Amino acid sequence: MKSDAALHGEVTASHSVFGAPCWASLTTRDLQTVEDFYRAVLGWEWRTSSTMGDQYRVASVQQVPVAGISEVHFGVNTAVAWTPYFAVASADETVSRSQERGGTTAVGPLSFPPGRAALLADRDGAVFGIWEGELVAGWEEWRRAAPVFVRLHTRDAFDAAIFYGEVLEWASPAPGSCEVRYEDNEVVLRSRGDVVARIHSGAVGAAPDPTIRPHWQIHFTVDDVEAAARAARAARAHGGTAHQQGLGSTEAILTDPDGARFFVTARRTD
């Protein structure tokens, strides 16, 4: 989300791709440990954002931005999690639409030049962020490389699609709006013809296990199944854990040293 656009010679604003996922971000207690973990597991390289200061770091693979991490001092029992951000034309209007439809606002909107951000939760409690303004430097490369994919595990996919459709203006007549369809028992979101998110039912709202409750899942894509398996093995050696792995699988579920859960998914070639 945070632009160093002068380094790349191109700027994309959130209003031109509104409603689509535009970034993934993590807050952590120990920036250096988590940075080392993702470098070892996913091969990420790191740089400091010129607009967000020393405590916000941008990860990249082969000079393509992937995601951002910031250090925040939480309480010992506070859970950390990867959060998807969606591009919006107006953060204030989006927050108002969310609140009118039963969503809650955790943080913001706050100004982070060159834009504004807010952290929200839908009416089932799944947390997501919104961003208004210039997108991360190299965002067009981010989109083409598709290093991140998001999926909502929720109580009722249709109900969630209605909420997000109204809040993020999916399927609106405005140019650049996302398309929404029901395919293979999931709600599928497309932006400019590309699948950018999926929503599926089955979560239990009151479950004590946070992995069963409604939540957004962050998938980081890798080139092949073998790479996913290697990432799972590396996770155990660098302070994280692997919940699922195997050469016969298309993805592994990992947890970083600070407890943030994420997916490593084989990149599709079709």
Side-chain angles (χ1 to χ4, degrees):
M1 293 181 307
K2 321 312 188 261
S3 175
D4 300 314
L7 298 177
H8 293 261
E10 61 177 300
V11 174
T12 301
S14 60
H15 65 77
S16 65
V17 290
F18 69 90
C22 65
W23 196 236
S25 192
L26 173 70
T27 52
T28 183
R29 300 177 183 85
D30 188 336
L31 189 63
Q32 188 60 59
T33 296
V34 170
E35 195 174 294
D36 291 344
F37 168 82
Y38 286 100
R39 180 184 291 112
V41 174
L42 299 179
W44 290 358
E45 295 300 326
W46 298 92
R47 64 177 174 83
T48 301
S49 169
S50 64
T51 58
M52 291 298 291
D54 293 341
Q55 298 308 307
Y56 193 88
R57 304 280 284 165
V58 175
S60 63
V61 174
Q62 297 180 349
Q63 299 185 332
V64 176
V66 178
I69 294 180
S70 60
E71 186 173 66
V72 176
H73 297 291
F74 297 103
V76 175
N77 296 322
T78 303
V80 299
W82 280 99
T83 303
Y85 279 76
F86 294 82
V88 299
S90 169
D92 290 323
E93 292 178 5
T94 304
V95 168
S96 294
R97 288 194 296 270
S98 173
Q99 292 174 340
E100 289 168 358
R101 290 157 179 81
T104 57
T105 304
V107 179
L110 299 176
S111 293
F112 295 101
R116 303 180 75 226
L119 194 64
L120 313 177
D122 65 26
R123 49 193 172 216
D124 283 322
V127 176
F128 65 103
I130 58 171
W131 175 256
E132 169 199 349
E134 293 179 10
L135 303 179
V136 67
W139 181 83
E140 290 291 350
E141 289 88 348
W142 183 85
R143 183 186 181 91
R144 285 192 292 269
V148 182
F149 180 80
V150 299
R151 186 189 301 270
L152 176 61
H153 181 57
T154 190
R155 176 185 55 80
D156 185 318
F158 286 104
D159 183 69
I162 291 171
F163 172 84
Y164 286 97
E166 293 175 343
V167 171
L168 300 176
E169 298 185 285
W170 293 347
S172 78
S177 174
C178 294
E179 301 175 358
V180 183
R181 296 182 182 177
Y182 186 70
E183 302 174 9
D184 299 326
N185 298 316
E186 290 185 317
V187 174
V188 179
L189 182 71
R190 284 185 168 82
S191 175
R192 300 180 181 178
D194 297 323
V195 176
V196 293
R198 296 179 183 270
I199 302 174
H200 66 95
S201 304
V204 180
D209 184 348
T211 66
I212 299 175
R213 294 197 300 266
H215 66 285
W216 280 96
Q217 301 169 340
I218 303 295
H219 296 243
F220 295 112
T221 59
V222 295
D223 289 335
D224 52 35
V225 174
E226 288 76 11
R230 287 196 298 272
R233 291 195 294 271
R236 293 197 301 274
H238 290 84
T241 59
H243 302 282
Q244 288 178 290
Q245 65 181 72
L247 294 175
S249 174
T250 60
E251 60 186 31
I253 306 174
L254 310 181
T255 302
D256 72 21
D258 208 15
R261 193 168 181 262
F262 65 98
F263 289 69
V264 175
T265 300
R267 190 185 310 279
R268 298 185 61 176
T269 58
D270 55 359

